Amino acid sequence: MQTIERWRRYELTLQGPTDGNPFTDVDLTATFTRNAHQVTVHGFYDGEGVYKVRFMPDDEGRWEVETHSNVSELDGKTDVFECTPATDGNHGPVVTRDTHFGYADGTGYIPFGTTCYEWALKPAEVREQTLASLKTTRFNKIRMAVFPKSAKFNTIEPEMYPFEGEPTVITDGLFKHEEWFPETIGFDFTRFNPEYFRSFEDRVAELDELGIEADVILFQPYDHWGFARMGMENNKRYLRYVIARLASYKNVWWSMANEYDLMDLVDQIKLDEWDEIGMTIRHEDPSAHLLSIHNWYDPPQHKETKNINWYDYSKPWITHVGVQTDNVFFVPQWMKEYGKPVSVDEMRYEGNIDYGWGDMTGKQMLDLFTRCILRGGGATHGEVYIDKPDTLRPIWWAHGGKLYGESYKRINYLKDLMDAEGFDWVVPQAVTGPHWELAAGARPDLKKILIYFGDNQPEFEWLDFLPAGKKYGARLIDFWNMTETEFPDTVTGDTYTHLPRKEYQMLLLTEQE
């Protein structure tokens, strides 16, 4: 009997018809039964007469499989397998627990993310460099899109496309917004390109080997191919196909869209269509992976109102708040308001480009990231350094490749520090009162507290949010230079703490017995 490790992928491969359009003419599902528990999943056509069914078992023991199809050679096929215990390093998928994240086996997880939209679609040498760069970081989540991106600094056509056909818009190397409105579309949305999706899922598997979650963006507005204009029938067929292929990968998250409300403004997917899309994803995914949606953020329109254009994250099938904002001070408030974890998936980028979202210094990027983490959220790094205008050199935010910035090194340091000190998740501190100069977060048992001051330099700080009667030993951390020294004084919440005046310092407090 075949054995499949818990939370790993079972796959059944069958031979079937190649005539007609197998993507639309053939229905294939399979029922997985474990005792009285049954799960039905869609299969998919993988080209050249090959059909597959995939499943991620989450319960140990014997599973029975039976297929169902409108095609006789695919119908009534059976199989059995034994789901064995997870081995070391396999913690299962990330799930939500009240207002924080964690792995399915109970291991702690805090999203330390980054963004490389198109890395999975780039030539092999760029993908290999991306993976080599990721190995030098502590990022445990990456935002990545299924479809290619048409925007400034993204004018090179991909090596292949997700559907049969050819683009009708040919760029001259310089991005133009009017390209987002193609007069004709040259792709057949009823015929997928299995090679494209096999390559994408291979990238997801490579991330899993590195312990990195793949936050898969299903739709995006930056499109001159027509993939954002397929219509609801084709959208749902695409969702069923990509979910059938990817839902068995334990490290998958679903993001319905990048900047969903911008898609409405450029006449792609309308605001009132997202509920149907979201519920389709939830219905089709037998593994119930994390699911959220990402908003556009135009500061002149949205900064003061903070969340006027957000999706309704209170919907029961939305698992967490996944937003674009630099107002990270409000993360604890949003956690409380929605009763769900918050991941700030875009907070501007470290870089040197001519857009306000991509010209932060490394210190500014680090500041937002750290404040978000210590206020209880997940945070997402981004980097957009160019060597010249209209460069064709890979840029991390879009293509992956090489990291040129400074913030990721300190993010590595923060992740290692929090792991070493047992921060499975963060309980935000200093969430009331005039404490906007700092960000503070505690370990779940409240015995360790990290306090971050950023570019503020108080010499006398009253840490009145600390529990009354508690005393703490401390280490003083020069965050930018990544050095630590023992802090000479005992720290309490009922008197001033005297600090050296210096930028980017942290205190790591340890409760004294």
Side-chain angles (χ1 to χ4, degrees):
M1 182 188 302
Q2 183 182 11
T3 61
I4 303 294
E5 184 180 332
R6 187 183 187 191
W7 299 309
R8 296 295 184 185
R9 185 173 65 260
Y10 166 88
E11 181 173 285
L12 177 65
T13 300
L14 303 169
Q15 294 293 320
T18 59
D19 58 330
N21 185 347
F23 299 106
T24 57
D25 298 341
V26 177
D27 294 325
L28 173 63
T29 62
T31 300
F32 291 77
T33 303
R34 161 88 176 119
N35 296 330
H37 177 54
Q38 287 192 336
V39 180
T40 299
V41 305
H42 275 102
F44 63 92
Y45 182 56
D46 200 31
E48 300 181 346
V50 175
Y51 294 77
K52 293 184 176 182
V53 176
R54 291 173 174 169
F55 179 60
M56 183 186 75
D58 61 355
D59 191 18
E60 297 171 21
R62 176 188 169 96
W63 287 84
E64 298 177 352
V65 187
E66 183 176 5
T67 66
H68 316 280
S69 179
N70 62 338
V71 175
S72 59
E73 56 260 57
L74 301 175
D75 187 50
K77 304 301 180 182
T78 61
D79 193 18
V80 294
F81 66 90
E82 182 79 13
C83 179
T84 59
T87 57
D88 290 345
N90 175 5
H91 302 296
V94 174
V95 298
T96 62
R97 297 187 177 92
D98 297 321
T99 57
H100 61 277
F101 298 95
Y103 288 105
D105 71 348
T107 303
Y109 175 85
I110 302 171
F112 273 64
T114 190
T115 294
C116 297
Y117 288 121
E118 281 194 302
W119 87 272
L121 314 180
K122 296 293 103 179
E125 62 269 21
V126 179
R127 300 197 309 262
E128 291 166 5
Q129 188 178 52
T130 304
L131 292 169
S133 296
L134 286 169
K135 289 178 183 177
T136 70
T137 77
R138 302 297 181 270
F139 296 129
N140 59 17
K141 181 171 85 78
I142 189 168
R143 300 178 64 238
M144 54 190 287
V146 176
F147 292 137
K149 184 183 179 81
S150 171
K152 194 171 183 179
F153 309 117
N154 294 268
T155 56
I156 299 175
E157 289 290 313
E159 293 183 318
M160 54 185 167
Y161 299 96
F163 302 95
E164 291 186 13
E166 296 290 338
T168 59
V169 174
I170 307 300
T171 65
D172 59 5
L174 296 177
F175 169 69
K176 303 177 185 66
H177 281 97
E178 54 265 31
E179 294 176 352
W180 288 0
F181 299 86
E183 293 183 4
T184 59
I185 294 174
F187 292 94
D188 182 349
F189 299 132
T190 72
R191 292 183 177 270
F192 299 93
N193 177 4
E195 183 183 1
Y196 182 98
F197 290 93
R198 283 196 293 269
S199 178
F200 189 90
E201 66 197 27
D202 286 346
R203 308 290 78 79
V204 173
E206 289 169 341
L207 293 173
D208 193 32
E209 291 177 3
L210 296 179
I212 299 173
E213 302 294 300
D215 194 352
V216 176
I217 300 167
L218 294 164
F219 295 99
Q220 59 172 332
Y222 323 107
D223 169 80
H224 71 232
W225 302 274
F227 307 144
R229 301 176 184 277
M230 297 190 295
M232 186 58 74
E233 181 179 358
N234 289 321
N235 286 343
K236 292 171 76 170
R237 182 184 297 110
Y238 153 71
L239 290 173
R240 182 176 297 119
Y241 188 77
V242 76
I243 291 169
R245 297 196 72 113
L246 290 177
S248 55
Y249 290 77
K250 67 181 176 62
N251 63 321
V252 161
W253 302 21
W254 305 120
S255 178
M256 286 193 280
N258 196 66
E259 300 187 334
Y260 82 100
D261 45 328
L262 181 55
M263 298 189 76
D264 175 74
L265 290 175
V266 295
D267 198 31
Q268 295 166 341
I269 298 176
K270 293 302 182 183
L271 296 179
D272 60 4
E273 295 180 298
W274 289 106
D275 277 7
E276 186 172 0
I277 289 172
M279 287 186 285
T280 297
I281 297 167
R282 180 52 68 227
H283 175 73
E284 294 292 335
D285 180 5
S287 301
H289 288 293
L290 296 180
L291 171 61
S292 193
I293 191 169
H294 172 273
N295 59 287
W296 186 42
Y297 181 54
D298 185 33
Q301 296 190 50
H302 304 136
K303 189 173 181 68
E304 296 304 320
T305 50
K306 295 189 289 298
N307 56 2
I308 190 173
N309 64 322
W310 286 12
Y311 196 71
D312 180 4
Y313 292 103
S314 67
K315 294 180 184 296
W317 41 269
I318 294 283
T319 58
H320 63 284
V321 180
V323 293
Q324 176 175 190
T325 182
D326 59 5
N327 289 297
V328 299
F329 179 85
F330 297 98
V331 166
Q333 175 182 318
W334 297 328
M335 292 164 60
K336 182 178 180 180
E337 177 181 347
Y338 291 103
K340 298 177 181 182
V342 173
S343 178
V344 180
D345 289 331
E346 191 171 347
M347 54 178 69
R348 301 172 62 210
Y349 296 108
E350 178 184 355
N352 63 348
I353 64 172
D354 57 331
Y355 288 118
W357 51 262
D359 61 358
M360 289 199 302
T361 66
K363 288 182 176 179
Q364 288 174 308
M365 178 83 258
L366 180 67
D367 186 72
L368 284 174
F369 193 102
T370 304
R371 290 178 184 275
C372 185
I373 291 290
L374 294 184
R375 287 182 173 134
T380 305
H381 155 277
E383 185 185 294
V384 282
Y385 281 107
I386 61 174
D387 56 338
K388 60 183 179 180
D390 301 309
T391 186
L392 297 180
R393 188 184 77 179
I395 304 171
W396 184 258
W397 135 91
H399 321 112
K402 182 179 178 181
L403 284 158
Y404 295 91
E406 293 294 331
S407 63
Y408 82 92
K409 303 170 188 175
R410 283 80 189 175
I411 291 170
N412 288 352
Y413 176 87
L414 178 63
K415 180 69 165 61
D416 286 343
L417 174 67
M418 295 181 70
D419 285 350
E421 298 297 333
F423 282 78
D424 289 339
W425 50 280
V426 173
V427 181
Q429 306 293 300
V431 295
T432 60
H435 293 300
W436 55 266
E437 80 282 7
L438 58 81
R443 207 169 66 175
D445 63 4
L446 307 182
K447 293 185 179 296
K448 298 269 189 179
I449 301 174
L450 262 175
I451 305 171
Y452 166 72
F453 298 99
D455 61 0
N456 299 292
Q457 300 181 55
E459 185 172 358
F460 302 100
E461 183 73 46
W462 195 299
L463 305 173
D464 60 353
F465 56 87
L466 297 176
K470 298 287 187 181
K471 295 182 179 181
Y472 298 87
R475 299 206 310 265
L476 182 64
I477 299 169
D478 182 333
F479 194 11
W480 190 253
N481 293 309
M482 296 178 284
T483 60
E484 303 178 19
T485 57
E486 290 299 318
F487 192 67
D489 302 326
T490 298
V491 177
T492 70
D494 57 7
T495 188
Y496 282 106
T497 296
H498 186 196
L499 298 165
R501 299 198 71 225
K502 190 174 184 179
E503 291 184 324
Y504 300 98
Q505 294 190 119
M506 290 194 293
L507 279 174
L508 174 62
L509 306 186
T510 301
E511 182 182 334
Q512 295 178 341
E513 298 298 333

